[in-house]
Amino acid sequence: MLVKTKAIVFSSLKYQEKSVIVKCFTQSDGLKSYFVPSAYSGKKSNQKIAYFQPLTILEIEAVHKNKGTLEHFKEIKLATAYQTIATDVYKSTIVIFLSEILHHCIQEEEKNEGLFTYLETALIWLDTHDEASNFHLILLLEICKFLGFYPDTTETDFPFFEMNEGQFSPLHAISCLSEHETHLLKKLMLLKFDSDQKVFAGIERQILLKILLDYYSIHLDGFKKPKSLDVLKEVFS
């Protein structure tokens, strides 16, 4: 079946000398993997490789056989040409980190237009705004809504957050965040991308990042903390 759709690149893996296997989250069909046989050869090789950088937003025409095998592109072009992500070390580090997270935690081979639209809108926002210190934290928390384990907000007055059940608690159990950690999480839950970026100190962002990754580990089977985590910590320290 010939499909025209937008797609967000989650990962690319070099295969043999000239080929690439590209994992994309498509607007039309959810997660798809594509075989690109000549990505490193030919006159347009540099242009092709540029298409497959982490979280690039593409417009593709592809043949989808839907048999669980690798699909093939017919046409590729940029849906959005990023202006700052590739050249800003903070933004490019965030994008590499988030692409690794998304690669591991989104496994749906079916349409999820709400999640696609959210990711596309968020990435365009990142590219067009200078202050993005809390971007990765907000996005990690918001994605929990689409994955089905966003914190229960019915009792946010309680002082502790219980990680296993994903709800606030009046009592401090071993599986709860401390009162200070819970306070930071509540602050994060109120933030939007365009909120004051200085609401957290650097050390508080580190605490929140650890909380979120631990939360993902609890609620997603086989979730692995990304290899780029140390780079992200270094850049934002």
Side-chain angles (χ1 to χ4, degrees):
M1 182 172 65
L2 188 62
V3 175
K4 292 183 178 181
T5 183
K6 286 184 180 179
I8 299 172
V9 176
F10 278 5
S11 67
S12 62
L13 177 67
K14 189 174 182 180
Y15 179 75
Q16 296 182 340
E17 287 299 312
K18 298 178 180 179
S19 304
V20 170
I21 296 170
V22 183
K23 187 175 181 180
C24 294
F25 186 63
T26 69
Q27 188 172 21
S28 63
D29 295 275
L31 209 59
K32 287 286 180 184
S33 292
Y34 300 88
F35 182 67
V36 186
S38 56
Y40 287 92
S41 64
K43 294 179 181 179
K44 293 184 178 180
S45 61
N46 291 334
Q47 188 178 7
K48 278 189 177 180
I49 293 304
Y51 289 149
F52 306 134
Q53 299 306 304
L55 301 190
T56 301
I57 306 171
L58 303 173
E59 283 186 14
I60 66 169
E61 189 174 316
V63 177
H64 286 178
K65 295 183 178 179
N66 299 318
K67 294 181 179 178
T69 55
L70 295 173
E71 313 288 14
H72 290 79
F73 295 119
K74 285 200 71 177
E75 298 288 340
I76 316 168
K77 63 180 180 179
L78 292 175
T80 300
Y82 293 142
Q83 302 300 310
T84 64
I85 284 176
T87 55
D88 184 306
V89 65
Y90 293 98
K91 292 182 182 182
S92 59
T93 303
I94 286 172
V95 160
I96 290 168
F97 170 77
L98 290 174
S99 68
E100 213 177 333
I101 294 273
L102 293 167
H103 173 79
H104 288 301
C105 73
I106 295 176
Q107 303 295 333
E108 324 173 308
E109 294 189 13
E110 58 185 41
K111 183 175 181 178
N112 188 333
E113 196 153 1
L115 177 54
F116 184 92
T117 300
Y118 176 76
L119 290 174
E120 180 184 31
T121 303
L123 290 165
I124 292 170
W125 187 94
L126 176 65
D127 186 55
T128 54
H129 290 77
D130 293 331
E131 290 294 328
S133 302
N134 301 319
F135 178 86
H136 57 302
L137 301 174
I138 296 169
L139 189 136
L140 283 176
L141 183 60
E142 287 296 308
I143 285 175
C144 294
K145 291 178 180 176
F146 299 97
L147 298 178
F149 54 90
Y150 190 81
D152 185 338
T153 59
T154 54
E155 299 289 357
T156 53
D157 289 340
F158 289 156
F160 304 105
F161 182 71
E162 202 283 315
M163 296 279 275
N164 294 330
E165 297 299 325
Q167 60 190 22
F168 293 91
S169 170
L171 304 172
H172 187 264
I174 193 168
S175 54
C176 286
L177 300 179
S178 70
E179 196 163 354
H180 175 61
E181 290 168 335
T182 302
H183 174 67
L184 292 178
L185 180 62
K186 288 177 183 178
K187 282 176 70 174
L188 180 61
M189 290 170 68
L190 296 174
L191 288 191
K192 305 295 183 187
F193 288 135
D194 56 0
S195 300
D196 180 9
Q197 297 295 307
K198 296 177 182 177
V199 67
F200 296 121
I203 187 63
E204 291 176 328
R205 289 192 189 95
Q206 301 283 11
I207 292 168
L208 280 165
L209 184 57
K210 182 180 184 307
I211 289 169
L212 289 167
L213 293 179
D214 287 345
Y215 193 54
Y216 270 63
S217 296
I218 290 167
H219 292 275
L220 289 174
D221 289 339
F223 177 76
K224 297 177 182 177
K225 293 183 181 179
K227 295 176 182 177
S228 54
L229 176 59
D230 290 340
V231 179
L232 185 79
K233 286 180 178 178
E234 185 70 27
V235 167
F236 282 93
S237 62

